[in-house]
């Protein structure tokens, strides 16, 4: 019994030591309606109605989907050169089995375009969601590289914000 316990502990320790760490970072965005004098209306009593109530949960969820859109993520992939990183482009990590399958014509590591393959891997490591029923959107990213994990969520928010300049309706502020 003691030998079995030590063997299992040793195997568990070896597995944990062989795993590379994953770092996760997030950025949060507060979404609010712009309250411009021109867009205000008066109710029947002459009071100015605020357009703040117009941005509901579905509106915030839509903004979250826009932040994590394919075009925005693809821009971040290009900006950070993620197609050249084996973590996000599995074709760069070819092993003996993959090479033998490719030689036999059973698997082609270049079957998908590198950009599409990398985009899929980045989207798997990315999470863009509304926090509860609030107007806060969380953009989280996980990577083996600590710096990359911290930079990608901020870069994605910046790409989204730069695309929103001059667009009436919403104002977003990154925290």
């Amino acid at each position: 019994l003691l030998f079995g316990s030590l063997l299992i502990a040793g195997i568990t320790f070896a597995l944990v030591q062989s795993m590379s760490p994953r770092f996760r970072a997030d950025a949060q965005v507060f979404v609010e309606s712009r309250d411009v004098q021109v867009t205000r209306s008066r109710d029947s009593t002459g009071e100015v109605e605020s357009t703040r109530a117009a941005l509901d949960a579905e509106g915030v969820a839509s903004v979250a989907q826009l932040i994590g859109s394919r075009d925005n993520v693809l821009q971040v992939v290009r900006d950070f050169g993620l197609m050249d990183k084996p973590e996000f482009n599995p074709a760069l990590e070819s092993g003996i089995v993959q090479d033998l399958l490719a030689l036999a014509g059973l698997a082609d590591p270049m079957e998908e375009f590198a950009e599409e393959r990398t985009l899929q891997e980045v989207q798997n490591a990315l999470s863009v969601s509304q926090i509860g029923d609030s107007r806060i959107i969380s953009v989280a990213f996980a990577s083996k590289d600590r710096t990359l994990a911290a930079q990608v969520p901020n870069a994605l928010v910046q790409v989204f914000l730069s695309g929103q300049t001059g667009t009436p309706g919403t104002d977003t502020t990154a925290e």
Side-chain angles (χ1 to χ4, degrees):
L1 187 62
L2 180 63
F3 176 73
S5 297
L6 289 175
L7 181 64
I8 291 174
I11 291 171
T12 304
F13 180 76
L15 286 174
V16 169
Q17 291 299 322
S18 68
M19 295 175 67
S20 60
R22 300 270 306 166
F23 298 97
R24 187 168 183 85
D26 72 335
Q28 294 182 352
V29 180
F30 178 74
V31 182
E32 64 182 7
S33 295
R34 290 185 182 161
D35 195 13
V36 182
Q37 185 67 29
V38 176
T39 62
R40 291 183 184 179
S41 61
R42 296 194 181 272
D43 65 8
S44 61
T45 61
E47 294 289 323
V48 175
E49 293 179 359
S50 175
T51 58
R52 283 186 171 270
L55 190 63
D56 57 358
E58 286 114 17
V60 176
S62 296
V63 172
Q65 289 178 348
L66 287 172
I67 290 173
S69 71
R70 182 184 193 288
D71 291 338
N72 290 344
V73 174
L74 192 55
Q75 181 64 43
V76 171
V77 165
R78 290 177 182 151
D79 290 348
F80 284 93
L82 298 180
M83 288 181 285
D84 300 329
K85 297 189 182 294
E87 178 181 0
F88 301 107
N89 189 353
L92 297 176
E93 293 180 337
S94 67
I96 294 172
V97 175
Q98 290 175 332
D99 290 343
L100 289 175
L101 289 174
L103 286 173
L106 299 174
D108 184 8
M110 302 309 278
E111 187 175 296
E112 295 180 77
F113 294 110
E115 193 171 78
E116 290 297 320
R117 186 175 41 251
T118 304
L119 180 66
Q120 182 65 36
E121 291 295 323
V122 169
Q123 286 177 326
N124 289 340
L126 181 68
S127 170
V128 181
S129 60
Q130 178 180 2
I131 298 176
D133 290 334
S134 70
R135 294 180 183 211
I136 298 174
I137 297 172
S138 173
V139 181
F141 186 73
S143 174
K144 294 176 185 175
D145 181 357
R146 171 187 328 220
T147 306
L148 192 63
Q151 291 176 343
V152 167
N154 292 328
L156 187 59
V157 170
Q158 284 305 108
V159 166
F160 171 73
L161 291 176
S162 67
Q164 294 299 306
T165 56
T167 304
T170 60
D171 183 25
T172 54
T173 311
E175 288 183 353

